[in-house]
Amino acid sequence: MRVIAIFLALLATPAFGATFWHNSVVERTLTTGDEKFGGCLVSLAESFEGATGCKDPFLSADCAGVFGTKSAGARRMDQLTLAAVTGRVARVQINNGKRVNGWCTIDAVQIIYSDTTP
């Protein structure tokens, strides 16, 4: 009986902090002078809302350091800005368990310089 209860508890546990990779062109960037939106947001061309339940079209790079350091957020935003300026596809790891003012955050950024994706 105890095994069944444990098994049912595992099935009923929601998946907090689920992350996944998403490829898209960066359409817009937004930075603020305060901690609103985590200090910076990015808008992607390809919708990701259906896969994560995040508000579309923006994601926070967390430049304010809500979930890490400000410098780590700034580096993510630098990479996203570079992708936007060069027209390259950004591969972002979206974390729907970390939200800033309702916006899901980005844990990692890759810029795709070739036509192949790892």
Side-chain angles (χ1 to χ4, degrees):
M1 195 65 155
R2 182 178 283 173
V3 172
I4 293 173
I6 292 171
F7 180 73
L8 290 175
L10 289 173
L11 287 178
T13 304
F16 292 110
T19 61
F20 76 98
W21 288 95
H22 179 73
N23 297 351
S24 182
V25 172
V26 176
E27 286 190 329
R28 290 181 281 174
T29 60
L30 179 141
T31 58
T32 66
D34 56 15
E35 293 185 6
K36 190 174 185 180
F37 311 124
C40 56
L41 289 175
V42 63
S43 172
L44 302 177
E46 300 293 324
S47 176
F48 51 85
E49 183 176 346
T52 66
C54 299
K55 288 201 274 183
D56 209 1
F58 287 100
L59 294 165
S60 176
D62 191 21
C63 297
V66 176
F67 295 106
T69 64
K70 290 182 179 182
S71 62
R75 283 193 308 273
R76 286 188 293 271
M77 193 63 175
D78 288 345
Q79 289 293 296
L80 292 162
T81 302
L82 178 62
V85 169
T86 61
R88 297 295 181 177
V89 171
R91 186 170 191 241
V92 296
Q93 185 178 45
I94 300 172
N95 189 329
N96 69 350
K98 295 179 184 175
R99 295 177 191 243
V100 178
N101 302 114
W103 305 106
C104 290
T105 60
I106 297 171
D107 284 342
V109 178
Q110 297 176 0
I111 298 176
I112 301 174
Y113 292 103
S114 66
D115 292 333
T116 60
T117 305

